[in-house]
């Protein structure tokens, strides 16, 4: 399987896929890497990077599956510890197994989980899979984890703020109960970014060593009449 995961590093890059996870951050991360090369996920190890966003073309069979799952009555909400070498991915969402494209979608989940574990030298990842019809985390916030991978297979993608457009003193209690658009947290409303469907976002959180106070600021999007539901995958380090 790993021969199909394009994670080879440039010759000048450090070897990132041998041994346990090693946080290399020295100074706070404020930079975003946007690419269509899956191997660029490894740039999360660069000191000043707090988001690697890999944009991918959506395969027709997966698009067909996601559309059917989100427009039908099929739903899922689960959390699992997943070893990509041993886990039975077929049991993730058996209610959707009869939908066209299900197998291709499972293969992509397996690929992302394997790549995530390889990148950080982990045997298992914490996998969460959900269909959502409302914003799970509607306020801009940071995650108190070292790193998290997120992929919206369908529906509206996760929103995030570049560093120059956020006033971090207004996060959480600093907002004094005011909504984000009134608290002063968003320094430039035109700068709000959105991850495309099927893109892979790998973001540093507050617990990445040396990145305290500089985790990526992001939020769940509000559903719309055109896109009332989303299918969301997240992977966490253990």
């Amino acid at each position: 399987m790993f021969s199909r995961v394009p994670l080879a590093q440039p010759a000048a890059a450090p070897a990132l896929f041998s041994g346990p996870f090693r946080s290399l951050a020295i100074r706070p991360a404020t930079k975003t890497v946007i690419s269509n090369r899956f191997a660029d996920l490894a740039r999360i190890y660069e000191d000043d990077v707090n988001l690697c966003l890999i944009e991918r073309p959506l395969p027709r069979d997966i698009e067909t599956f996601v559309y059917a799952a989100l427009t039908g009555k099929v739903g899922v909400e689960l959390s699992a510890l997943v070893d990509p070498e041993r886990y039975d991915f077929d049991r993730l969402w058996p209610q959707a197994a009869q939908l066209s494209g299900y197998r291709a979608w499972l293969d992509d989940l397996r690929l992302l989980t394997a790549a995530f574990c390889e990148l950080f030298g982990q045997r298992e990842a914490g996998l969460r899979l959900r269909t959502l019809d409302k914003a799970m985390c509607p306020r801009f916030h940071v995650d108190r984890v070292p790193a998290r991978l997120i992929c919206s297979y369908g529906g509206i993608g996760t929103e995030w703020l570049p560093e120059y457009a956020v006033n971090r003193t207004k996060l959480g209690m600093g907002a004094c109960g005011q909504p984000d658009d009134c608290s002063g947290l968003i320094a430039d409303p035109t700068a709000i970014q959105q991850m495309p469907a099927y893109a892979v976002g790998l973001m540093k959180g507050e617990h990445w060593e040396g990145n305290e106070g500089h985790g990526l600021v992001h939020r769940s999007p509000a559903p719309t009449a055109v896109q009332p539901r989303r299918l969301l995958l997240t992977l966490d380090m253990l």
Side-chain angles (χ1 to χ4, degrees), residues 174-198:
C176 300
Q178 298 182 80
D180 290 344
D181 56 356
C182 298
S183 68
L185 184 151
I186 306 171
D188 180 2
T190 66
I192 297 174
Q193 305 292 308
Q194 192 161 60
M195 299 183 189
Y198 199 61

Side-chain angles (χ1 to χ4, degrees), residues 28-113:
T30 60
K31 179 180 174 182
T32 297
V33 172
I34 300 178
S35 172
N36 59 7
R37 296 179 62 252
F38 204 72
D40 283 334
L41 285 176
R43 294 188 63 185
I44 199 69
Y45 278 91
E46 295 180 14
D47 295 340
D48 58 348
V49 171
N50 68 353
L51 172 64
C52 294
L53 182 62
I54 311 302
E55 298 179 346
R56 309 187 292 169
L58 179 57
R60 179 60 61 86
D61 48 1
I62 295 180
E63 182 179 27
T64 297
F65 166 76
V66 172
Y67 178 81
L70 291 181
T71 56
K73 296 183 179 180
V74 183
V76 64
E77 182 174 354
L78 66 84
S79 300
L81 299 180
V82 174
D83 177 343
E85 292 295 299
R86 297 176 175 84
Y87 188 76
D88 181 7
F89 282 82
D90 286 345
R91 70 186 191 187
L92 273 179
W93 200 0
Q95 299 89 342
Q98 301 305 312
L99 298 177
S100 177
Y102 178 71
R103 184 60 51 190
W105 174 74
L106 281 186
D107 287 345
D108 195 69
L109 258 68
R110 186 181 293 109
L111 182 148
L112 292 184
T113 307

Side-chain angles (χ1 to χ4, degrees), residues 146-197:
R148 174 169 289 163
L149 182 148
I150 187 167
C151 178
S152 297
Y153 279 99
I156 304 176
T158 297
E159 296 177 337
W160 55 278
L161 282 169
E163 191 65 24
Y164 75 86
V166 60
N167 179 352
R168 289 181 179 269
T169 67
K170 302 298 183 180
L171 286 168
M173 298 296 292
C176 300
Q178 298 182 80
D180 290 344
D181 56 356
C182 298
S183 68
L185 184 151
I186 306 171
D188 180 2
T190 66
I192 297 174
Q193 305 292 308
Q194 192 161 60
M195 299 183 189

Side-chain angles (χ1 to χ4, degrees), residues 127-142:
L127 181 151
R128 289 187 298 171
L129 183 65
R130 300 178 183 177
T131 47
L132 300 166
D133 57 9
K134 60 183 178 180
M136 183 172 59
C137 301
R139 300 288 298 268
F140 276 114
H141 65 284
V142 293

Side-chain angles (χ1 to χ4, degrees), residues 4-37:
R4 297 190 294 108
V5 182
L7 287 175
Q9 299 304 299
L16 301 180
F17 298 108
S18 60
F21 162 70
R22 296 175 293 110
S23 177
L24 303 180
I26 297 173
R27 59 183 181 276
T30 60
K31 179 180 174 182
T32 297
V33 172
I34 300 178
S35 172
N36 59 7
R37 296 179 62 252

